[in-house]
Amino acid sequence: MDGRGILKKPKREIESDGEEHPNKKETNNHNYNHNHNHNHNHSSSDDDDEDASTSRYDEQEEALVALFEHRTKEVEHLNTRISYYQSQLKQAQQRLHDTETKLVHVRRKICDKKWNCHIDPKREVTKEHKSISSVNGGSSQRQPQSKPQLLIPSANQKSSRPMTVAGTDPKASPSRYDSPIKPRGDRSHGTPSRPEDTKSQAVAPVGVKRKLECKEHRELTSKVRSTSSPTMIQCYASTHISSQHKRKLRSLTLCPMIDKLFITSALDGMVHLWQIQAKGSGATLLSSTECLSPKQRRWPEDIAWHPEGNRLVAVYSADGGDNQISVLNLNKSQSTRVSFLKEKPHVKGIINSVTFMPWDDTYFATGGSDHAVVFWNDKDGGDEWKPKTLHRNLHSSAVMGVAGMQHKQMVVSAGADKRIIGYDVLAGRVDYKHQIESKCMSVLPNPCDFHLFMVQTGTPERQLRLFDIRLRNSELHAFGWKQESSESQSALINQAWSPDGLYLTSGSADPMIHVFDIRYNAHKPSQSVKAHSKRVFKAEWHPTMPLLISISSDLNIGLHKI
């Protein structure tokens, strides 16, 4: 420190505060030049990378464009091939259909010779009927008995006096419930009968009508799947009336002799007798009869109308030792109208089906869950019947439906074991046997072509199968419907043939009536009619009026004018 008190800095520090050291300046200049050169070289490198990347993108674009064009041409080529093969498929399907039709015609001609279809049907039917009568205890020796007249109770329940149906008693005076028996003519739908036929039929004795129907065979096999478009049926008016049942309906059956009468039954055990009014615009309840079985208090599982029109036969169950068959005689008073048969040939389970045979002599058949088909013979023309088991071991599961063929003495049964069996009653053996891929739930012969019959199955969209009894192991047609509400198939859904044998109606789990035209070369319904608010059990064709009668789980009866 000098005299002024100023502290002198070291030389090193003075150099730091003043100008830079010459050596350090040279170092800084070197660093600047180095950084400048480095930045210049780095910029040149980035430009080269961008050029290379752009070139690669261009190459990828060209490759993708070429690939896109190639695959576009490939798709166009495949679409062309698809169109070609679709046209080839249609042509092949048409050739297959033509060949199948020719095969069916050839088989039918061969079977015609074997079955002697050109023999006088009256002589053939009479011969077979006499033969079966002799097989069943010589019933053919009985003299023809006069048919009992049908007495229908009045709709006015206060009056206990029964009314005599016109045509059954020539001395009876007509009443507002009288309904003369109308002929079915050629049975074609909507075709009115000729006046001279109506006049002759009105005075004909009761029971002749069934023999006349045996002559009305019409060949329909050649018409099956013969057209690509269906013939539509117009339903222009519908009327719904309360069934007056307390539980779900089970059966709907039209009277075979008086066209204005039909019955309904339900799970409440009641059987209602109805009369159609105003050409199908309404129906009147004539009477109600309780038909519950005496022990188990079960409702009728199925009901068949006696061919004379004065009685009904109902079937129940074989469980618990209960009565299996009841006869509802409309000619008797309300208290004695229902009688139960003592015979109990079925050994277990529900009796699923009952139907009268379309023959001159009166028989009916029943099919049950015990695998059995039972044949019932009228003893003395009354309410006593003698059962005979046709077979019990031919089905391995429940017999769901039975029916009689008109061209010969054959009982066809359909079972849950997927089997269809035609049993020749005269020969006492199986004459027809076929098995399909799903269970069978009912069988229904065609009313005009006596060789055709329909079987209801459990296959969705192929529920109905059409067969020719002369053709072995083959079906003529298969059709059905798609259910919206359920995939399960119910045996409570039933079918019905139109009087001309060309249409089928079926109920559905949906609130629809499905109509099928056997001439329509398609598996779907020719049309569907919404008829109720809930599922439809059955839609029956009226034999003489353009009318469909339906029952539904909505507890209503539908009258549909067509």
Side-chain angles (χ1 to χ4, degrees):
M1 180 184 304
D2 56 10
R4 293 176 296 182
I6 300 174
L7 182 64
K8 294 183 179 180
K9 298 180 179 179
K11 185 177 181 180
R12 184 180 302 172
E13 295 180 2
I14 295 174
E15 289 178 352
S16 300
D17 294 336
E19 294 181 356
E20 296 181 358
H21 194 276
N23 294 333
K24 187 174 182 179
K25 184 175 182 181
E26 291 178 0
T27 303
N28 292 337
N29 291 334
H30 175 76
N31 291 336
Y32 170 78
N33 292 333
H34 175 77
N35 291 336
H36 178 75
N37 293 334
H38 175 75
N39 292 335
H40 178 73
N41 293 335
H42 183 70
S43 175
S44 299
S45 176
D46 289 345
D47 292 341
D48 293 342
D49 291 342
E50 290 179 358
D51 293 341
S53 177
T54 303
S55 177
R56 285 196 300 270
Y57 287 149
D58 291 341
E59 292 176 356
Q60 290 180 0
E61 181 185 15
E62 292 178 359
L64 290 174
V65 168
L67 181 62
F68 176 78
E69 293 177 351
H70 169 71
R71 290 181 175 174
T72 300
K73 293 180 180 179
E74 184 181 18
V75 170
E76 293 176 351
H77 176 66
L78 291 175
N79 282 331
T80 303
R81 294 179 65 184
I82 289 174
S83 300
Y84 170 75
Y85 284 115
Q86 284 179 342
S87 63
Q88 292 293 311
L89 175 62
K90 290 182 180 179
Q91 296 177 8
Q93 288 176 338
Q94 184 61 39
R95 291 194 298 269
L96 175 62
H97 172 66
D98 295 341
T99 303
E100 184 181 15
T101 302
K102 292 179 181 179
L103 176 61
V104 169
H105 288 173
V106 171
R107 286 179 174 178
R108 179 169 53 83
K109 291 180 180 179
I110 295 174
C111 293
D112 283 344
K113 294 181 180 180
K114 292 182 179 180
W115 288 63
N116 297 322
C117 293
H118 299 294
I119 297 179
D120 181 15
K122 180 178 180 181
R123 182 178 60 185
E124 183 71 11
V125 171
T126 303
K127 179 180 178 181
E128 292 185 349
H129 289 166
K130 290 182 178 180
S131 300
I132 191 172
S133 298
S134 61
V135 170
N136 290 276
S139 59
S140 61
Q141 302 299 325
R142 298 199 311 255
Q143 295 297 326
Q145 299 180 358
S146 61
K147 303 294 183 180
Q149 62 183 9
L150 173 57
L151 306 178
I152 303 300
S154 169
N156 184 1
Q157 298 299 326
K158 294 182 180 180
S159 174
S160 61
R161 180 181 178 183
M163 292 193 174
T164 305
V165 176
T168 59
D169 187 357
K171 297 181 181 180
S173 59
S175 68
R176 64 190 181 100
Y177 294 112
D178 293 347
S179 176
I181 301 167
K182 296 182 181 180
R184 301 188 183 185
D186 61 355
R187 299 178 69 90
S188 56
H189 178 68
T191 304
S193 303
R194 295 178 297 179
E196 57 271 20
D197 293 341
T198 304
K199 181 179 180 181
S200 60
Q201 184 70 15
V203 297
V206 177
V208 174
K209 183 179 180 182
R210 298 187 67 213
K211 296 183 180 180
L212 294 177
E213 287 182 348
C214 293
K215 301 179 182 179
E216 297 175 0
H217 173 81
R218 292 175 56 200
E219 180 61 52
L220 300 179
T221 306
S222 59
K223 297 183 179 181
V224 176
R225 300 174 62 183
S226 61
T227 178
S228 59
S229 60
T231 302
M232 307 295 287
I233 297 175
Q234 300 299 325
C235 181
Y236 64 90
S238 294
T239 303
H240 292 86
I241 61 175
S242 173
S243 66
Q244 302 191 33
H245 286 285
K246 297 179 180 180
R247 298 183 63 187
K248 289 183 179 180
L249 284 88
R250 177 59 61 90
S251 300
L252 167 68
T253 309
L254 274 63
C255 180
M257 295 297 289
I258 302 176
D259 57 6
K260 289 187 177 181
L261 300 181
F262 67 93
I263 63 100
T264 58
S265 72
L267 303 187
D268 56 9
M270 302 300 295
V271 175
H272 292 339
L273 176 65
W274 299 86
Q275 180 178 12
I276 301 173
Q277 303 289 346
K279 298 182 179 179
S281 299
T284 302
L285 179 62
L286 298 182
S287 67
S288 298
T289 307
E290 182 186 285
C291 294
L292 292 172
S293 63
K295 290 185 178 181
Q296 301 292 326
R297 305 299 290 171
R298 290 188 61 88
W299 56 83
E301 297 290 343
D302 192 21
I303 297 180
W305 209 309
H306 193 284
E308 296 172 3
N310 58 355
R311 282 170 288 173
L312 297 163
V313 173
V315 294
Y316 299 85
S317 172
D319 293 334
D322 205 355
N323 293 84
Q324 301 179 8
I325 308 290
S326 72
V327 179
L328 193 161
N329 194 325
L330 297 174
N331 284 344
K332 294 183 178 181
S333 62
Q334 188 75 25
S335 59
T336 60
R337 182 172 293 178
V338 180
S339 61
F340 289 86
L341 303 186
K342 298 179 181 179
E343 288 78 5
K344 302 176 183 179
H346 291 278
V347 296
K348 66 177 181 178
I350 295 174
I351 304 173
N352 298 301
S353 177
V354 57
T355 184
F356 278 87
M357 301 295 102
W359 309 330
D360 284 346
D361 294 329
T362 306
Y363 306 92
F364 70 86
T366 57
S369 299
D370 59 347
H371 314 173
V373 174
V374 179
F375 202 57
W376 299 77
N377 179 20
D378 188 2
K379 285 185 177 181
D380 300 314
D383 296 339
E384 296 295 328
W385 299 81
K386 181 180 180 182
K388 176 184 177 182
T389 301
L390 290 184
H391 56 82
R392 194 182 298 276
N393 299 319
L394 298 180
H395 287 281
S396 60
S397 187
V399 177
M400 303 301 296
V402 291
M405 304 299 290
Q406 295 199 41
H407 68 287
K408 65 181 304 183
Q409 304 291 339
M410 177 184 290
V411 177
V412 179
S413 57
D417 58 355
K418 309 176 184 180
R419 297 176 185 173
I420 306 168
I421 294 176
Y423 190 85
D424 190 327
V425 179
L426 296 177
R429 58 177 175 81
V430 176
D431 191 61
Y432 176 89
K433 192 174 184 179
H434 184 50
Q435 185 165 352
I436 59 177
E437 76 284 356
S438 61
K439 64 180 180 180
C440 304
M441 292 179 286
S442 66
V443 58
L444 194 64
N446 188 282
C448 293
D449 192 328
F450 300 155
H451 300 124
L452 299 182
F453 65 96
M454 182 280 304
V455 173
Q456 180 191 5
T457 73
T459 305
E461 299 187 54
R462 292 173 63 90
Q463 290 93 335
L464 307 182
R465 312 294 180 88
L466 185 62
F467 297 94
D468 189 324
I469 198 71
R470 300 166 298 179
L471 304 179
R472 310 292 177 174
N473 300 323
S474 62
E475 63 184 32
L476 298 180
H477 201 359
F479 31 76
W481 63 93
K482 182 178 181 180
Q483 293 185 170
E484 300 295 337
S485 59
S486 173
E487 295 182 356
S488 62
Q489 304 298 318
S490 173
L492 301 179
I493 303 299
N494 293 295
Q495 292 75 39
W497 283 104
S498 63
D500 61 2
L502 296 176
Y503 295 92
L504 265 168
T505 51
S506 176
S508 171
D510 306 316
M512 307 291 291
I513 297 176
H514 297 300
V515 183
F516 300 90
D517 185 349
I518 66 173
R519 298 165 294 182
Y520 185 27
N521 186 21
H523 299 301
K524 61 183 180 180
S526 59
Q527 64 189 106
S528 298
V529 180
K530 185 174 182 180
H532 290 270
S533 61
K534 295 183 179 180
R535 67 172 175 173
V536 180
F537 293 116
K538 187 177 184 181
E540 187 83 37
W541 300 76
H542 195 277
T544 59
M545 287 189 287
L547 184 69
L548 281 174
I549 305 175
S550 61
I551 56 174
S552 167
S553 58
D554 62 8
L555 300 183
N556 288 327
I557 300 173
L559 302 171
H560 316 280
K561 292 185 177 181
I562 56 178

